[in-house]
Amino acid sequence: MSYPSFNAFLDALRAADELLTIDSPVATELEITAIADAQMKSPGGGKALLFTKPTIDGKVSEFPVAINTMGSRKRMAMSLKVDAIDEIAEQMAFLMKAKPPGNLREAWDLVRNGIDVVHARPRTVRSGPCKEVIHLAGDGFGLDQIPVLLCWPKDGGRFVTLPNVHTRDPDTGARNIGMYRMQVYDALSTGMHWQVHKVAARHGKRYYERGEPMPVAVCLGGDPALTFAATAPLPDGLDEILLAGFLRKKSIDMVKCETCDIMVPAESDFVIEGEVRPGEMRAEGPFGDHTGFYTPVDDYPIFHVKAITHRKGAVYPATIVGQPPMEDFYMGTASVRIFLPIFQMNFPEIKDMALPAEGVFHNLVFVSIKKQYAYQAYKIMHGLWGMGQMMFAKYIVVVDDDCDVHNTSEVLFRMCANTDPKRDSAFVQNPSDALDHGTSAPNVGSHMGIDATRKLVGEGYDRGWPDLVVMAPEVEARVADLIAKLR
Ligand SMILES: Cc1cc2nc3c(=O)[nH]c(=O)nc-3n(C[C@H](O)[C@H](O)[C@H](O)COP(=O)(O)O)c2cc1C
Ligand SMILES: [Mn+2]
């Protein structure tokens, strides 16, 4: 169920005709973005791309660049070695049913214990492929030799876009892996864009309070399950390595860094080791972001590189963000699908949930429910606004369970038809995504919930709710053959 290397994943994509290889030189400055964006905007997410001769300031790089490797339903499923992400969601639901948890904390504990079920606890190893080449800071090798993309014309520099950033809670030793972009300042330093609500930012704050430098290791490549796990919205304290082990059903070999005692996946393509120093900040950005707009310059911590180790034949994995749809839509959709059974543990009335591409993750959430009592749609909105990164949801639209939330036009039809805007909306104050430029102040804003369900007694509507226009099933069955023939 696992890939021994990122290259093995690329081989699988190639065999499935999901990978296009570009052997002519292409510039890491803007050109790779332009080509990748065209794939990401084509129906279903286009193909993954492997650039074998990316150029850095005109010089061909030693390392190829792979991009859009998860950017379709099929490739996202392939990255986790399943035919469809639904299979993993079913395993998750099975875990939840095997020993139904009483609350959300217990639900996450079950996922943690599920790791034991599949014998996927990480293993410590003494060395591994990521140590095939070892460069210590000062030996002449640096980030300037890795084909990091300059993504968009007005970006403040080159950005590492698919980094798995490993940090530790200095108090408990708990590991966290998050995906936080890194602006390359020079060969041996970058920005570290962990936003204020993210786990590594909390770890950093504790190091600063203790006045200690914070060891950080950034891994690139390896089994794509690791990259997916770094983006997954796990609660603080739940180890992404355990999630990745659960997903790939195989222990992950972990090896110690050269310059600190952080443990990293031995099969990574690159490991960039270093530290963040208390209180040290630097201007980061602008960056053409998920929102489709440039996020403005803001101060973020600086990451000082102490060593870079890599595989022989390492491939540099990248993505781009920008106007939707982009590759990350498929990653986000997989997350929602996989964690839906956990949402349903807390809210059994939830049937399905979708974060449409236009909403770029949190801006727009569609949720369908089996409604039984008045104001239940509001309970769901408030519940979601209180759950992890769902706190950022700017608009939540709740529909009945007979509406397909993955069909945006169906949801808009319900929303327009079923609401009296004033009666059926709720506004709340909540934390907002750090990237949201629409709010008047950073990190906070108003959020709107729309109840597009049919109204029940007690919801201020007594005109008698009309029936939806649908054909009688027996008639549909009678003419089904003819309908198919006419298609
Ligand atoms: C391609 C991509 C880029 C991302 N860039 C950032 C970023 O720069 N900063 C950030 O805080 N979150 C970023 N995220 C979102 C986080 O990875 C995500 O919220 C993750 O769950 C955070 O993990 P944590 O809860 O362990 O902090 C990005 C996600 C993706 C898919
Ligand atoms: Mn986390």
Side-chain angles (χ1 to χ4, degrees), residues 62 128-135 141 308-313:
E62 174 189 354
C130 71
K131 306 281 192 186
E132 283 168 358
V133 181
I134 296 176
H135 293 286
F141 185 86
I308 300 177
T309 75
H310 67 84
R311 278 178 178 266
K312 284 188 180 137

Side-chain angles (χ1 to χ4, degrees), residues 335-408:
S335 263
V336 173
R337 186 69 196 93
I338 290 172
F339 296 120
L340 187 61
I342 293 179
F343 282 93
Q344 288 167 326
M345 232 35 255
N346 232 29
F347 305 111
E349 62 268 63
I350 290 184
K351 178 168 179 234
D352 205 353
M353 195 186 294
L355 276 56
E358 294 81 357
V360 202
F361 291 117
H362 318 104
N363 284 348
L364 188 57
V365 175
F366 295 157
V367 52
S368 59
I369 64 168
K370 186 148 190 59
K371 189 165 110 174
Q372 283 165 335
Y373 50 83
Y375 282 13
Q376 198 166 359
Y378 297 97
K379 182 196 89 166
I380 293 303
M381 296 169 200
H382 295 301
L384 293 179
W385 280 322
M387 273 179 86
Q389 294 183 40
M390 274 291 164
M391 68 178 151
F392 300 133
K394 201 192 300 203
Y395 296 95
I396 299 180
V397 182
V398 187
V399 292
D400 289 308
D401 64 342
D402 60 347
C403 175
D404 177 7
V405 292
H406 302 285
N407 182 340
T408 296

Side-chain angles (χ1 to χ4, degrees), residues 1 33 65 97 108 124 167 195 198 200-201 205 211 226 251 270 325 328 347 354 397 417-418 432 445 456 460 462:
M1 299 297 278
T33 296
V65 173
K97 283 205 188 99
W108 286 113
T124 301
T167 61
Q195 296 151 11
K198 305 300 169 74
K205 189 157 177 288
L226 293 160
S251 289
F270 292 91
D328 57 358
F347 305 111
V397 182
N418 283 355
S432 289
L456 300 180
D462 51 16

Side-chain angles (χ1 to χ4, degrees), residues 175-178 180 199-200 229-230 232-240 389:
R175 170 186 17 241
N176 191 71
I177 312 175
Y180 320 113
V199 175
L234 299 185
D236 192 350
L238 201 124
D239 185 352
E240 282 82 2
Q389 294 183 40

Side-chain angles (χ1 to χ4, degrees), residues 197-208:
H197 308 106
K198 305 300 169 74
V199 175
R202 187 183 67 71
H203 289 178
K205 189 157 177 288
R206 283 298 297 136
Y207 279 99
Y208 310 157

